[in-house]
Amino acid sequence: MRFIFPVLLGLIGCGVLLSLGMWQVERLAWKNAILAEIDARIFDAPAPLPAAPSEEADKYLAVTASGTLTGPEIHVLASAKGLGAGYRVIQALDLDGRRIMVDLGFLPLELKDATRADRNVTVIGNLHWPNEINSSTPETDTNRAIWFARDVPTMADHLGAEPTLIIARETTPTQRALTPYPVDSGTIPNDHLSYAITWFGLAAVWLGMTLLWMWRMRRKP
């Protein structure tokens, strides 16, 4: 009879922890399905730029647009694997009767102030509405024209463009010194597997502690 309480406590505790682990496994399958849909959209054949794109309907939509890169550049401090520190270069793209924005890719630090004339390009990429600003984001360094995060409405106001941003996958002609920094679903958090392993591990520990408790109880006279 004295083992009833530890057995019940062990079973209940393990049951709760295992159910939490299984829930995370289900969430992992759900998240993987969403990421597969995003990947399919990212690498789909590019469509013409919608007349009035929205984040809800068009996020990650593969598009193509032709126009003239013009006006000042926004330089967002960034780093790229294998390339080190640098900037994302964002510039206005004048189309026929409208102006949008293009994230042209990665630029090394030392080339930030190089002169780039207006140029006609065709861009293939994905619509995106990144909002990387949080409570710890530094203010824009207006003296050096350096930004520390991307925020579509704020960038659009600065460049006098509509709040539409294409993250370039490729440009024709290729932009000298710029390396495309395209949208990648790998940047979307997917921690459900590690959470599941954590819950299953805690269930194993709980079971082990319960067995140890019962073993000690059995040794007592």
Side-chain angles (χ1 to χ4, degrees), residues 49 63-71 91-102 104 117-124 166 170-173 175:
L49 183 68
V63 297
T64 182
S66 297
T68 303
L69 293 168
T70 186
Q91 195 171 15
L93 180 68
D94 280 341
L95 307 175
D96 185 14
R98 62 191 293 198
R99 171 179 282 198
I100 64 168
M101 299 179 293
V102 178
L104 294 165
D118 293 356
R119 52 220 186 272
N120 296 324
V121 297
T122 295
V123 178
I124 295 176
I166 299 176
E170 61 181 82
T171 58
T172 307
Q175 302 304 294

Side-chain angles (χ1 to χ4, degrees), residues 44-129:
D44 200 0
L49 183 68
S54 69
E55 182 174 3
E56 293 76 16
D58 301 307
K59 191 173 184 179
Y60 304 119
L61 179 68
V63 297
T64 182
S66 297
T68 303
L69 293 168
T70 186
E73 297 176 351
I74 287 176
H75 302 107
V76 184
L77 193 64
S79 62
K81 187 176 181 180
L83 298 174
Y87 303 97
R88 280 185 176 271
V89 176
I90 298 170
Q91 195 171 15
L93 180 68
D94 280 341
L95 307 175
D96 185 14
R98 62 191 293 198
R99 171 179 282 198
I100 64 168
M101 299 179 293
V102 178
D103 185 328
L104 294 165
F106 181 84
L107 181 74
L109 289 173
E110 64 274 12
L111 298 179
K112 172 181 176 293
D113 296 320
T115 301
R116 282 174 286 277
D118 293 356
R119 52 220 186 272
N120 296 324
V121 297
T122 295
V123 178
I124 295 176
N126 300 90
L127 293 175
H128 195 26
W129 284 262

Side-chain angles (χ1 to χ4, degrees), residues 14-215:
C14 283
V16 171
L17 293 169
L18 288 172
S19 66
L20 289 171
M22 290 304 301
W23 178 67
Q24 288 296 338
V25 170
E26 294 172 358
R27 295 284 292 176
L28 176 64
W30 166 79
K31 192 61 171 285
N32 285 340
I34 289 178
L35 292 176
E37 291 178 4
I38 290 173
D39 282 335
R41 192 169 216 200
I42 287 174
F43 297 105
D44 200 0
L49 183 68
S54 69
E55 182 174 3
E56 293 76 16
D58 301 307
K59 191 173 184 179
Y60 304 119
L61 179 68
V63 297
T64 182
S66 297
T68 303
L69 293 168
T70 186
E73 297 176 351
I74 287 176
H75 302 107
V76 184
L77 193 64
S79 62
K81 187 176 181 180
L83 298 174
Y87 303 97
R88 280 185 176 271
V89 176
I90 298 170
Q91 195 171 15
L93 180 68
D94 280 341
L95 307 175
D96 185 14
R98 62 191 293 198
R99 171 179 282 198
I100 64 168
M101 299 179 293
V102 178
D103 185 328
L104 294 165
F106 181 84
L107 181 74
L109 289 173
E110 64 274 12
L111 298 179
K112 172 181 176 293
D113 296 320
T115 301
R116 282 174 286 277
D118 293 356
R119 52 220 186 272
N120 296 324
V121 297
T122 295
V123 178
I124 295 176
N126 300 90
L127 293 175
H128 195 26
W129 284 262
N131 184 355
E132 300 162 340
I133 295 176
N134 57 42
S135 59
S136 61
T137 303
E139 292 291 330
T140 300
D141 186 339
T142 54
N143 292 329
R144 294 187 296 161
I146 296 175
W147 296 52
F148 296 94
R150 292 176 297 170
D151 175 60
V152 170
T154 304
M155 295 188 303
D157 287 342
H158 181 78
L159 296 177
E162 67 179 72
T164 298
L165 176 67
I166 299 176
I167 311 294
R169 184 166 296 279
E170 61 181 82
T171 58
T172 307
T174 302
Q175 302 304 294
R176 185 171 58 89
L178 286 164
T179 302
Y181 206 161
V183 172
D184 180 2
S185 66
T187 62
I188 301 173
N190 185 12
D191 300 321
H192 297 295
L193 178 59
S194 62
Y195 293 156
I197 292 172
T198 298
W199 288 121
F200 290 142
L202 289 173
V205 171
W206 189 283
L207 177 61
M209 294 299 291
T210 301
L211 292 175
L212 178 60
W213 183 16
M214 293 174 64
W215 177 75

